Amino acid sequence: MTQACGLDFGTSNSTVGWLRPGAPHSAAGALLPLEEGKPTLPSVVFFNADDDRVCYGREALAEYLEGYEGRLMRSLKSLLGTSLIDGQTEVAGRALPFRSLLAQFIGELKRRAEGQAGRGFEQAVFGRPVFFVDDDPEADKLAEQTLLEVARSVGFREVSFQYEPIAAAFDYEAGIEREELVLIADIGGGTSDFSLVRLGPERAGRTDRREDILANGGVHIGGTDFDKYLSLASVMPLLGYGSNLLSGAAIPSSYYFNLATWHTINQAYTRRSQAQLADLARDAAEPDKIARLRNLIEDRAGHWLAIQVEAAKIGLSAQPQVLIELDRLSPPGELEVTRAGFEAAIGQLVDSVGATVGALFAQAQVKPEAVDTIFFTGGSSGVSLLRERIGAMAPGARRVEGDLFGSIGAGLALDAQRKFG
């Protein structure tokens, strides 16, 4: 029986994988159920002030949306590699260091996994993006060190790391019958990560896979960025984004960027921010929009709004247009958003991701036509424009969709078995 687990601490969702005797080497066989029988636990924490308790995942989102007083925190992984990680926030009148917040969530993942497995885990392989931070090796190293310290603080005695796209490659490899050159495209909530890997049944048993990994690359662009730019292009103009003061000066964009970015939404709720908005409202050229913004902030409905935008983004993967119900705005209403408008909003982001894939081929000295398969994983790989851009860069490759939320966790479980036994 494998002694270690594989832990995928994701920006949007997290999983824990563990290989048991006789279990299939797949996401369905490896992932432990963490909430309501499901293998994913949304990376969300809600500090419920009414009941003075902490809840996680779907339960956290449900209690927040039901209107309980408290503090919702999401996209916790985005703190790694930023200056915020050494800071703190206020919860129920008490200071909470962000490191402690990460420890609470990862500790909860460990507790739930151990409860399902019926045993403790002291060893783990953690997934990590190719780059926590773009173009800053020192900050990237510090982010991994921070995650290591947090993991040890909750009881993981031995911790190893694996690139998330390589973990997904291991999961895909468990089900193929011949050797392939595979482009792994892992589009997650916070990063887009890629690996070019030679995979096959004969290679799978090797302990040292370094010569099979031709190149790794990544960029700090993911699903939360797509949410942000969809929000800025569609919803935030209703709240005054892009409008002016009577003097002709622009309303500062920082309020809107904070509200459109998951891990900074709470910054819009500060007393200082609200006081500044009160001053701006007196001189706004479109005061009704600023009033709507102030009402949203006073109701602490920023996370609710972000959830509506995220749902619209997901809907646009399957439909050409969707309606966003804005019933908590004042006055309430609805807004139609289109796939064409969404794609225009994220065009520059997709260009950056495409450039990252192009650099990967150059780094590996591999021609795109040599790629046999593109393996898509990660919840944000469903964004149509992004998938088509990546697919067009290796047009002869077949496209395979893995378990969008489970391939990495299953691959990490395989890696944990190989590293720790």
Side-chain angles (χ1 to χ4, degrees), residues 218-235:
V219 63
H220 207 263
I221 293 171
T224 56
D225 300 288
F226 301 141
D227 295 345
K228 173 181 176 179
Y229 282 90
L230 176 59
S231 182
L232 290 171
S234 59
V235 178

Side-chain angles (χ1 to χ4, degrees), residues 27 335 380:
L335 175 69
S380 298

Side-chain angles (χ1 to χ4, degrees), residues 300-351:
R300 291 181 173 255
H303 290 92
W304 162 82
L305 184 61
I307 290 168
Q308 310 314 305
V309 173
E310 180 185 37
K313 175 197 69 178
I314 293 169
L316 290 172
S317 293
Q319 305 168 54
Q321 66 270 330
V322 297
L323 282 179
I324 303 179
E325 297 293 339
L326 300 173
D327 52 334
R328 289 183 66 176
L329 292 188
S330 180
E334 58 184 22
L335 175 69
E336 182 181 89
V337 293
T338 65
R339 184 183 296 169
F342 173 48
E343 291 180 349
I346 66 170
Q348 286 187 322
L349 301 179
V350 173
D351 288 344

Side-chain angles (χ1 to χ4, degrees), residues 34-317:
L34 299 177
E35 185 181 26
E36 300 173 355
K38 298 179 174 65
T40 55
L41 181 69
S43 302
V44 184
V45 182
F46 182 58
F47 296 90
N48 186 319
D50 289 338
D51 296 339
D52 191 25
R53 70 188 188 94
V54 183
C55 50
Y56 303 87
R58 296 170 185 83
E59 181 186 17
L61 285 169
E63 292 200 0
Y64 168 77
L65 292 173
E66 284 171 17
Y68 285 91
E69 287 295 320
R71 182 77 180 272
L72 185 76
M73 307 288 283
R74 191 176 179 185
S75 294
L76 312 177
K77 187 177 179 180
S78 298
L79 294 165
L80 292 168
T82 73
S83 59
L84 287 174
I85 193 63
D86 291 316
Q88 59 189 31
T89 188
E90 184 180 307
V91 175
R94 297 186 295 271
L96 175 67
F98 285 120
R99 285 175 182 259
S100 298
L101 175 65
L102 263 61
Q104 278 189 254
F105 184 77
I106 292 173
E108 181 69 12
L109 280 175
K110 184 175 187 289
R111 186 187 68 79
R112 293 188 184 207
E114 290 175 338
Q116 291 294 328
R119 53 151 296 142
F121 291 119
E122 293 186 347
Q123 299 164 311
V125 176
F126 272 65
R128 59 149 293 168
V130 175
F131 300 116
F132 281 106
V133 183
D134 295 339
D135 303 319
D136 192 338
E138 285 303 313
D140 188 80
K141 184 178 179 181
L142 183 60
E144 183 179 287
Q145 181 63 29
T146 300
L147 186 53
L148 174 63
E149 292 167 1
V150 169
R152 286 177 174 164
S153 76
V154 301
F156 287 112
R157 183 171 47 85
E158 292 184 77
V159 177
S160 177
F161 289 95
Q162 182 59 267
Y163 289 140
E164 289 158 359
I166 296 299
F170 292 156
D171 177 51
Y172 174 68
E173 186 178 53
I176 61 176
E177 298 179 352
R178 63 178 180 85
E179 184 169 308
E180 299 179 20
L181 176 59
V182 183
L183 171 62
I184 305 293
D186 169 27
I187 317 298
T191 59
S192 295
D193 293 310
F194 303 93
S195 292
L196 270 172
V197 195
R198 295 196 186 281
L199 301 174
E202 294 182 1
R203 296 177 182 270
R206 298 177 184 174
T207 303
D208 188 347
R209 301 297 299 273
R210 282 177 291 185
E211 68 177 35
D212 295 338
I213 302 168
L214 306 187
N216 290 309
V219 63
H220 207 263
I221 293 171
T224 56
D225 300 288
F226 301 141
D227 295 345
K228 173 181 176 179
Y229 282 90
L230 176 59
S231 182
L232 290 171
S234 59
V235 178
M236 292 301 161
L238 301 177
L239 307 178
Y241 177 56
S243 66
N244 296 320
L245 299 171
L246 292 172
S247 65
I251 298 287
S253 62
S254 58
Y255 306 108
Y256 306 100
F257 276 74
N258 282 339
L259 278 174
T261 307
W262 274 105
H263 64 282
T264 61
I265 290 172
N266 287 300
Q267 293 182 23
Y269 301 154
T270 64
R271 293 185 185 91
R272 180 182 179 186
S273 177
Q274 293 187 58
Q276 290 172 340
L277 277 173
D279 290 339
L280 287 171
R282 288 190 285 270
D283 298 316
E286 299 179 84
D288 56 325
K289 293 183 177 180
I290 304 304
R292 191 179 296 142
L293 171 64
R294 293 180 66 196
N295 287 336
L296 178 86
I297 290 173
E298 287 168 6
D299 291 344
R300 291 181 173 255
H303 290 92
W304 162 82
L305 184 61
I307 290 168
Q308 310 314 305
V309 173
E310 180 185 37
K313 175 197 69 178
I314 293 169
L316 290 172
S317 293

